[in-house]
Amino acid sequence: MHFAKLQEGCRIAQKEQKPTSLDHLKNAFLSALDVDWDWLLTKLPENILIVIAKHWNSGQETEGVYILPDTNILLVHPPLSNTQIGCFHAKLMLLFFDGWMRVVVASGILIPYDWETNENVIFVQDFPIVQATGIKNHIVNKLSQYDFSRAKAKLIASIPGAYKGIENMKKYGHGSLCKVVQEVCGPNENLIRMSTYLTSLYLKNVDLNPARGEALAEALHRNTTLNHLDLSSDAEDLMNNLKSEGGTMLSL
């Protein structure tokens, strides 16, 4: 999931947070690529329902909803793309308290290394409830009860697939990110520099020309976590077209 900060006059608005503790937590939804259960269970309360959605191995596991034995965890294996590429990599938390909800978007997955050792980023904002139904709702239905009018960010989904046509390309990923930047800052603003937090980037069989190579180099220039970049191809006619100009920029 890409994350674009919604800015007022292209300046980051200050976050508003409520003081809280886990003792006041009523429900929670967490999602991640992977989970270290032994570590995570020591961080969560045991007396409330917690829903966790994570990626799963289609060769060993199945899509569905499961109760994690001897815990208060409802485990969700969401539908995966049938394109054989991509994975469920959302890192979203929805923490429900009396009268308000905390939204957390993090760059780390639910393992101790990402939260105790590695460098990651996190966005937090609290939203007040506007209408409580008084009944137990599906988490998606709960969201309509909260006031998001003062949201300081826009969430941009990345869904694997091949998208044709300008409008379809603007629905997800970088296309959606470009659309949001134009909506927030206007079409005539100078190019906004974007920092990335990536450990691996696979661009296999991608048509990269010198200009795209230069743009990629610019985007990766401030990345301090990348340790694997795949620019290979399966066939000669699919080889990238970086040429010396694009290759030089990537090697700097």
Side-chain angles (χ1 to χ4, degrees), residues 191-251:
L191 178 66
I192 295 177
R193 293 179 180 270
M194 181 174 68
S195 296
T196 60
Y197 282 80
L198 299 170
T199 56
S200 300
L201 181 60
Y202 295 88
L203 296 174
K204 190 172 183 177
N205 298 331
V206 173
D207 180 17
L208 288 175
N209 56 35
R212 290 173 179 172
E214 185 174 345
L216 177 62
E218 174 69 18
L220 296 179
H221 179 66
R222 286 167 295 281
N223 187 304
T224 60
T225 58
L226 185 69
N227 56 41
H228 183 84
L229 176 62
D230 187 350
L231 299 175
S232 63
S233 60
D234 292 325
E236 186 173 345
D237 60 340
L238 293 174
M239 291 181 66
N240 68 64
N241 191 29
L242 286 171
K243 297 185 178 179
S244 59
E245 307 97 297
T248 299
M249 291 299 298
L250 281 173
S251 65

Side-chain angles (χ1 to χ4, degrees), residues 56-62:
W56 50 279
N57 187 334
S58 59
Q60 302 175 356
E61 302 169 301
T62 56

Side-chain angles (χ1 to χ4, degrees), residues 34-200:
D34 195 14
V35 178
D36 183 322
W37 294 109
D38 291 338
W39 170 79
L40 183 62
L41 290 174
T42 65
K43 309 297 181 183
L44 299 174
E46 300 178 356
N47 60 336
I48 63 170
L49 175 65
I50 296 177
V51 180
I52 298 181
K54 66 177 291 290
H55 184 73
W56 50 279
N57 187 334
S58 59
Q60 302 175 356
E61 302 169 301
T62 56
E63 176 185 332
V65 180
Y66 308 90
I67 296 176
L68 209 61
D70 302 318
T71 73
N72 56 325
I73 304 294
L74 195 65
L75 176 62
V76 178
H77 287 169
L80 299 180
S81 169
N82 57 9
T83 62
Q84 305 302 314
I85 58 174
C87 59
F88 181 79
H89 213 320
K91 294 175 280 289
L92 172 69
M93 300 183 194
L94 303 176
L95 309 178
F96 297 94
F97 298 87
D98 276 336
W100 58 283
M101 172 183 63
R102 172 161 292 176
V103 175
V104 180
V105 182
S107 62
I109 60 177
L110 298 176
I111 61 174
Y113 177 76
D114 273 11
W115 290 90
E116 298 173 0
T117 304
N118 201 13
E119 177 182 332
N120 278 285
V121 294
I122 186 170
F123 172 86
V124 179
Q125 187 174 355
D126 299 330
F127 298 93
I129 197 168
V130 291
Q131 182 180 8
T133 61
I135 60 175
K136 292 184 177 180
N137 274 341
H138 188 285
I139 285 179
V140 173
N141 296 332
K142 279 180 177 288
L143 298 181
S144 63
Q145 302 174 21
Y146 294 86
D147 178 10
F148 294 99
S149 62
R150 300 184 66 184
K152 304 296 193 299
K154 287 193 175 183
L155 299 181
I156 299 172
S158 288
I159 300 180
Y163 301 97
K164 297 181 179 180
I166 297 299
E167 292 307 312
N168 286 330
M169 292 174 64
K170 289 181 179 180
K171 289 181 179 179
Y172 308 109
H174 289 93
S176 179
L177 178 61
C178 291
K179 181 180 179 181
V180 168
V181 169
Q182 287 188 336
E183 290 174 352
V184 173
C185 297
N188 298 319
E189 293 289 335
N190 293 329
L191 178 66
I192 295 177
R193 293 179 180 270
M194 181 174 68
S195 296
T196 60
Y197 282 80
L198 299 170
T199 56
S200 300

